[in-house]
Amino acid sequence: MNCAACFEITGNPSDLLVCNSGCKANFHLTCAGQNDKSRSGRLTPALKKKWICVAFSGTKTKIPSVISSCLPQSSSTKISAMFEELLKNQMEVLTGKLDEFKESMNFNSLLIQELKDTITSLKEVNNNLHR
């Protein structure tokens, strides 16, 4: 199993927290902000069973949140930067696709206009033939 915050192998089960809500993700104690002995010592087995990560701590659930954040600031910032870069890349791809679509629509619009002009011309020829 890998830690949901740092993606490293979780290792010893006693050194991890499992989110007990919808995600069931595993976290190292340090990645969950529970790294110093005084704080982790307060995480009794009963509290560990009720612990939920930040993604679910704001939801209306009967399971109490033991801590307010499951990610240290540095990991949270790193993940935010990764998502921002991913979003930027996706926006560039979508912008390129939209530009291609616009070019295709302009080309098709020109073809349609040519077809309309041809139809109008053929109608005139047809009318002249029937006179």
PDB file of all heavy atoms in Angstrom, residues 66-83:
ATOM      1  N   VAL A  66     -10.166  13.835  13.621  1.00  0.00           N
ATOM      2  CA  VAL A  66      -9.165  13.946  14.672  1.00  0.00           C
ATOM      3  C   VAL A  66      -8.243  15.123  14.411  1.00  0.00           C
ATOM      4  O   VAL A  66      -7.872  15.850  15.318  1.00  0.00           O
ATOM      5  CB  VAL A  66      -8.354  12.635  14.794  1.00  0.00           C
ATOM      6  CG1 VAL A  66      -7.237  12.792  15.793  1.00  0.00           C
ATOM      7  CG2 VAL A  66      -9.273  11.506  15.187  1.00  0.00           C
ATOM      8  N   ILE A  67      -7.874  15.324  13.141  1.00  0.00           N
ATOM      9  CA  ILE A  67      -7.025  16.466  12.806  1.00  0.00           C
ATOM     10  C   ILE A  67      -7.657  17.222  11.650  1.00  0.00           C
ATOM     11  O   ILE A  67      -8.471  16.672  10.918  1.00  0.00           O
ATOM     12  CB  ILE A  67      -5.582  16.033  12.433  1.00  0.00           C
ATOM     13  CG1 ILE A  67      -5.592  15.112  11.228  1.00  0.00           C
ATOM     14  CG2 ILE A  67      -4.873  15.413  13.602  1.00  0.00           C
ATOM     15  CD1 ILE A  67      -4.225  14.753  10.713  1.00  0.00           C
ATOM     16  N   SER A  68      -7.277  18.484  11.478  1.00  0.00           N
ATOM     17  CA  SER A  68      -7.920  19.299  10.449  1.00  0.00           C
ATOM     18  C   SER A  68      -7.324  19.099   9.072  1.00  0.00           C
ATOM     19  O   SER A  68      -7.935  19.439   8.085  1.00  0.00           O
ATOM     20  CB  SER A  68      -7.838  20.768  10.842  1.00  0.00           C
ATOM     21  OG  SER A  68      -6.481  21.156  10.904  1.00  0.00           O
ATOM     22  N   SER A  69      -6.113  18.580   8.983  1.00  0.00           N
ATOM     23  CA  SER A  69      -5.495  18.405   7.670  1.00  0.00           C
ATOM     24  C   SER A  69      -4.668  17.135   7.658  1.00  0.00           C
ATOM     25  O   SER A  69      -3.963  16.836   8.603  1.00  0.00           O
ATOM     26  CB  SER A  69      -4.589  19.594   7.354  1.00  0.00           C
ATOM     27  OG  SER A  69      -3.906  19.356   6.151  1.00  0.00           O
ATOM     28  N   CYS A  70      -4.762  16.390   6.570  1.00  0.00           N
ATOM     29  CA  CYS A  70      -3.994  15.156   6.476  1.00  0.00           C
ATOM     30  C   CYS A  70      -2.690  15.352   5.735  1.00  0.00           C
ATOM     31  O   CYS A  70      -1.907  14.428   5.625  1.00  0.00           O
ATOM     32  CB  CYS A  70      -4.823  14.056   5.818  1.00  0.00           C
ATOM     33  SG  CYS A  70      -5.300  14.446   4.139  1.00  0.00           S
ATOM     34  N   LEU A  71      -2.447  16.538   5.190  1.00  0.00           N
ATOM     35  CA  LEU A  71      -1.217  16.781   4.451  1.00  0.00           C
ATOM     36  C   LEU A  71      -0.436  17.909   5.084  1.00  0.00           C
ATOM     37  O   LEU A  71      -0.999  18.949   5.394  1.00  0.00           O
ATOM     38  CB  LEU A  71      -1.527  17.172   2.996  1.00  0.00           C
ATOM     39  CG  LEU A  71      -2.219  16.148   2.142  1.00  0.00           C
ATOM     40  CD1 LEU A  71      -2.576  16.768   0.803  1.00  0.00           C
ATOM     41  CD2 LEU A  71      -1.340  14.943   1.937  1.00  0.00           C
ATOM     42  N   PRO A  72       0.882  17.727   5.268  1.00  0.00           N
ATOM     43  CA  PRO A  72       1.677  18.864   5.710  1.00  0.00           C
ATOM     44  C   PRO A  72       1.664  19.932   4.617  1.00  0.00           C
ATOM     45  O   PRO A  72       1.421  19.634   3.456  1.00  0.00           O
ATOM     46  CB  PRO A  72       3.080  18.286   5.885  1.00  0.00           C
ATOM     47  CG  PRO A  72       3.024  16.869   5.503  1.00  0.00           C
ATOM     48  CD  PRO A  72       1.636  16.524   5.084  1.00  0.00           C
ATOM     49  N   GLN A  73       1.926  21.166   4.981  1.00  0.00           N
ATOM     50  CA  GLN A  73       1.844  22.271   4.032  1.00  0.00           C
ATOM     51  C   GLN A  73       2.715  22.032   2.804  1.00  0.00           C
ATOM     52  O   GLN A  73       2.304  22.299   1.690  1.00  0.00           O
ATOM     53  CB  GLN A  73       2.237  23.591   4.714  1.00  0.00           C
ATOM     54  CG  GLN A  73       2.047  24.809   3.841  1.00  0.00           C
ATOM     55  CD  GLN A  73       0.607  25.018   3.422  1.00  0.00           C
ATOM     56  OE1 GLN A  73      -0.305  24.740   4.178  1.00  0.00           O
ATOM     57  NE2 GLN A  73       0.388  25.499   2.222  1.00  0.00           N
ATOM     58  N   SER A  74       3.934  21.499   2.995  1.00  0.00           N
ATOM     59  CA  SER A  74       4.830  21.303   1.850  1.00  0.00           C
ATOM     60  C   SER A  74       4.246  20.303   0.856  1.00  0.00           C
ATOM     61  O   SER A  74       4.310  20.521  -0.348  1.00  0.00           O
ATOM     62  CB  SER A  74       6.207  20.848   2.318  1.00  0.00           C
ATOM     63  OG  SER A  74       6.108  19.614   3.005  1.00  0.00           O
ATOM     64  N   SER A  75       3.649  19.218   1.335  1.00  0.00           N
ATOM     65  CA  SER A  75       3.037  18.240   0.432  1.00  0.00           C
ATOM     66  C   SER A  75       1.819  18.832  -0.246  1.00  0.00           C
ATOM     67  O   SER A  75       1.599  18.633  -1.437  1.00  0.00           O
ATOM     68  CB  SER A  75       2.628  16.981   1.204  1.00  0.00           C
ATOM     69  OG  SER A  75       3.752  16.303   1.681  1.00  0.00           O
ATOM     70  N   SER A  76       1.030  19.574   0.518  1.00  0.00           N
ATOM     71  CA  SER A  76      -0.162  20.193  -0.042  1.00  0.00           C
ATOM     72  C   SER A  76       0.222  21.187  -1.139  1.00  0.00           C
ATOM     73  O   SER A  76      -0.398  21.223  -2.196  1.00  0.00           O
ATOM     74  CB  SER A  76      -0.935  20.909   1.067  1.00  0.00           C
ATOM     75  OG  SER A  76      -2.069  21.526   0.538  1.00  0.00           O
ATOM     76  N   THR A  77       1.259  21.962  -0.897  1.00  0.00           N
ATOM     77  CA  THR A  77       1.722  22.933  -1.891  1.00  0.00           C
ATOM     78  C   THR A  77       2.239  22.224  -3.130  1.00  0.00           C
ATOM     79  O   THR A  77       1.964  22.635  -4.255  1.00  0.00           O
ATOM     80  CB  THR A  77       2.825  23.827  -1.288  1.00  0.00           C
ATOM     81  OG1 THR A  77       2.299  24.470  -0.132  1.00  0.00           O
ATOM     82  CG2 THR A  77       3.309  24.864  -2.271  1.00  0.00           C
ATOM     83  N   LYS A  78       2.984  21.122  -2.925  1.00  0.00           N
ATOM     84  CA  LYS A  78       3.517  20.360  -4.054  1.00  0.00           C
ATOM     85  C   LYS A  78       2.391  19.775  -4.897  1.00  0.00           C
ATOM     86  O   LYS A  78       2.414  19.855  -6.122  1.00  0.00           O
ATOM     87  CB  LYS A  78       4.421  19.227  -3.534  1.00  0.00           C
ATOM     88  CG  LYS A  78       5.140  18.477  -4.633  1.00  0.00           C
ATOM     89  CD  LYS A  78       5.875  17.238  -4.120  1.00  0.00           C
ATOM     90  CE  LYS A  78       6.914  17.553  -3.112  1.00  0.00           C
ATOM     91  NZ  LYS A  78       7.670  16.361  -2.681  1.00  0.00           N
ATOM     92  N   ILE A  79       1.386  19.232  -4.244  1.00  0.00           N
ATOM     93  CA  ILE A  79       0.255  18.646  -4.961  1.00  0.00           C
ATOM     94  C   ILE A  79      -0.513  19.738  -5.695  1.00  0.00           C
ATOM     95  O   ILE A  79      -0.916  19.562  -6.843  1.00  0.00           O
ATOM     96  CB  ILE A  79      -0.649  17.849  -4.003  1.00  0.00           C
ATOM     97  CG1 ILE A  79       0.091  16.588  -3.537  1.00  0.00           C
ATOM     98  CG2 ILE A  79      -1.966  17.485  -4.658  1.00  0.00           C
ATOM     99  CD1 ILE A  79      -0.586  15.827  -2.443  1.00  0.00           C
ATOM    100  N   SER A  80      -0.694  20.895  -5.052  1.00  0.00           N
ATOM    101  CA  SER A  80      -1.376  22.013  -5.716  1.00  0.00           C
ATOM    102  C   SER A  80      -0.629  22.435  -6.964  1.00  0.00           C
ATOM    103  O   SER A  80      -1.234  22.688  -8.000  1.00  0.00           O
ATOM    104  CB  SER A  80      -1.508  23.202  -4.763  1.00  0.00           C
ATOM    105  OG  SER A  80      -2.390  22.906  -3.720  1.00  0.00           O
ATOM    106  N   ALA A  81       0.700  22.505  -6.865  1.00  0.00           N
ATOM    107  CA  ALA A  81       1.509  22.901  -8.024  1.00  0.00           C
ATOM    108  C   ALA A  81       1.384  21.871  -9.139  1.00  0.00           C
ATOM    109  O   ALA A  81       1.305  22.227 -10.321  1.00  0.00           O
ATOM    110  CB  ALA A  81       2.966  23.068  -7.616  1.00  0.00           C
ATOM    111  N   MET A  82       1.343  20.583  -8.775  1.00  0.00           N
ATOM    112  CA  MET A  82       1.194  19.533  -9.775  1.00  0.00           C
ATOM    113  C   MET A  82      -0.157  19.664 -10.483  1.00  0.00           C
ATOM    114  O   MET A  82      -0.242  19.550 -11.700  1.00  0.00           O
ATOM    115  CB  MET A  82       1.330  18.150  -9.131  1.00  0.00           C
ATOM    116  CG  MET A  82       2.734  17.816  -8.725  1.00  0.00           C
ATOM    117  SD  MET A  82       2.969  16.282  -7.744  1.00  0.00           S
ATOM    118  CE  MET A  82       1.637  15.250  -8.159  1.00  0.00           C
ATOM    119  N   PHE A  83      -1.216  19.917  -9.711  1.00  0.00           N
ATOM    120  CA  PHE A  83      -2.539  20.069 -10.315  1.00  0.00           C
ATOM    121  C   PHE A  83      -2.608  21.313 -11.194  1.00  0.00           C
ATOM    122  O   PHE A  83      -3.237  21.295 -12.242  1.00  0.00           O
ATOM    123  CB  PHE A  83      -3.632  20.114  -9.248  1.00  0.00           C
ATOM    124  CG  PHE A  83      -4.026  18.756  -8.740  1.00  0.00           C
ATOM    125  CD1 PHE A  83      -3.874  18.425  -7.412  1.00  0.00           C
ATOM    126  CD2 PHE A  83      -4.546  17.808  -9.604  1.00  0.00           C
ATOM    127  CE1 PHE A  83      -4.226  17.173  -6.948  1.00  0.00           C
ATOM    128  CE2 PHE A  83      -4.912  16.552  -9.152  1.00  0.00           C
ATOM    129  CZ  PHE A  83      -4.742  16.237  -7.815  1.00  0.00           C
TER     130      PHE A  83
END
